[in-house]
Amino acid sequence: MALAVSIQDMCKSYGTLRAVDGLDLSVAEGEIFGILGPNGSGKTTTVECAYGLRKADAGRVRIFDLDPYADPDHVGRLVGAQLQDSALPDRLRVAEAVHLFGALAGHHGRSGHARGPVDEEGVLDRWGLSAKRRASYGSLSGGQRQRLHIALALVTRPRLVFLDEMTTGLDPNARREVWDLVEQVRREGTTVVLVTHFMDEAQRLCDRLAVFIAGRVVAQGTPGELIAAHGGGSSVHFVLPDHGPPLPRLEKVPGVLDVRCDEGRVDVHGSGPFLVGLGHALTTGGLGEVQMTVDQPSLEDAYVHLVGPGDGDDPR
């Protein structure tokens, strides 16, 4: 498996604050990899070290097997980034920004070799900015600025792009449009590292995820794997019919963890593939016609189980 990002035992401190503490992380070429975690968990610092904006205090960082500190020019031609604190001069016009970023990148494609001028009008159209091509950066709304930042990160179709909270400030329709475009970018061959606080975004887009706490990775896997391991199981609710057969011994169904019955309302909590066994037990017990409501665990459930309900307030 070819790796776009390889981080081993990386540490980074700001004075007495240990922002990243012996972190290990790998991202395969061609995937959308998500980074989750509360504020202060080291997400942005990790991305900035991987991109070469900050130098790690210790550990090994490689981008396509290149050292971003020893070979920043080469890495810079392969990587794009929309970072949390991205900003442009207020008077710079949208079309000028696209032209400038294309020129500064040297018109290099994902191979690192020159490939001709950027299709600036195509970039503006793709990201819904054509109508704002003459508008100044300072006049844009927060959502329009986010679109522009993402467009600039991808203007030369890099092999790898870091997107840090890319849909902050976007309305629901705009968020979904950006999701579609990110999936299209991946289909065209760009590896995406996505830092996000939105669980629906992570579950929709990411092939794999890593959860950060206090500068370390505490869990990683596909969204489904994290939900299965940390989501807390599923719950089934139904009401027993009047004068119907008695409730079977559902506690004996494999995977059932808890059964509660209160005035005819039954709540069953379980894990794994217990739903099939539950349905079979109800059917054989003469209750196959009851209307069941199933609450499935979500990625948010798994995340809260891992990090707790609180979310600190540290800028790193």
Side-chain angles (χ1 to χ4, degrees):
M1 177 182 66
L3 295 180
V5 180
S6 176
I7 297 174
Q8 298 172 351
D9 199 26
M10 186 174 77
C11 298
K12 179 64 179 177
S13 296
Y14 302 96
T16 60
L17 173 65
R18 179 64 67 93
V20 180
D21 187 13
L23 185 137
D24 295 313
L25 189 70
S26 62
V27 178
E29 277 200 71
E31 71 177 339
I32 300 178
F33 189 93
I35 297 177
L36 308 176
N39 293 339
S41 60
K43 305 183 302 296
T44 296
T45 295
T46 296
V47 167
E48 290 175 345
C49 288
Y51 189 46
L53 291 179
R54 299 183 187 273
K55 193 172 190 325
D57 299 330
R60 184 178 186 271
V61 180
R62 292 294 182 269
I63 302 296
F64 299 110
D65 209 30
L66 297 169
D67 186 334
Y69 316 125
D71 200 357
D73 291 339
H74 194 174
V75 170
R77 291 195 295 267
L78 301 175
V79 181
Q82 170 267 317
L83 300 177
Q84 201 174 77
D85 298 323
S86 298
L88 295 170
D90 281 347
R91 293 187 179 183
L92 186 67
R93 298 185 187 278
V94 169
E96 292 172 341
V98 173
H99 176 77
L100 176 63
F101 272 65
L104 289 176
H107 315 309
H108 286 77
R110 53 175 62 96
S111 66
H113 301 296
R115 64 176 184 86
V118 170
D119 178 8
E120 297 171 12
E121 291 301 325
V123 170
L124 293 170
D125 181 64
R126 186 181 205 184
W127 292 96
L129 294 167
S130 293
K132 293 291 182 178
R133 66 183 324 279
R134 296 186 182 279
S136 66
Y137 179 79
S139 71
L140 300 180
S141 68
Q144 290 164 348
R145 290 185 183 190
Q146 282 293 89
R147 284 177 174 270
L148 178 59
H149 294 156
I150 300 169
L152 297 178
L154 291 161
V155 71
T156 56
R157 298 174 61 204
R159 286 180 65 186
L160 167 68
V161 65
F162 294 102
L163 301 174
D164 194 348
E165 299 187 28
M166 67 175 181
T167 57
T168 298
L170 300 183
D171 63 53
N173 286 334
R175 288 179 70 220
R176 292 179 182 275
E177 290 172 3
V178 170
W179 293 352
D180 291 339
L181 288 167
V182 169
E183 289 176 325
Q184 182 178 336
V185 164
R186 190 267 291 276
R187 287 193 295 270
E188 294 170 357
T190 296
T191 302
V192 180
V193 175
L194 174 65
V195 179
T196 183
H197 281 296
F198 298 117
M199 298 300 120
D200 57 342
E201 181 167 280
Q203 191 162 351
R204 156 75 184 268
L205 292 177
C206 297
D207 302 299
R208 291 192 303 128
L209 298 159
V211 180
F212 284 30
I213 297 178
R216 289 181 174 271
V217 175
V218 297
Q220 62 180 313
T222 67
E225 288 170 345
L226 292 181
I227 292 169
H230 307 286
S234 303
S235 296
V236 177
H237 316 282
F238 59 90
V239 177
L240 292 172
D242 294 335
H243 312 296
L247 185 68
R249 295 289 301 277
L250 300 181
E251 297 89 346
K252 295 185 176 297
V253 173
V256 168
L257 302 174
D258 182 56
V259 179
R260 299 184 183 184
C261 185
D262 183 16
E263 297 183 353
R265 175 185 168 84
V266 182
D267 301 302
V268 183
H269 183 68
S271 63
F274 82 99
L275 294 175
V276 174
L278 176 64
H280 177 73
L282 292 175
T283 299
T284 57
L287 294 169
E289 299 299 319
V290 297
Q291 298 297 311
M292 296 189 296
T293 300
V294 181
D295 294 333
Q296 297 277 23
S298 67
L299 183 60
E300 183 170 339
D301 294 322
Y303 175 82
V304 171
H305 174 77
L306 283 163
V307 308
D311 193 348
D313 193 18
D314 187 289
R316 308 298 182 196

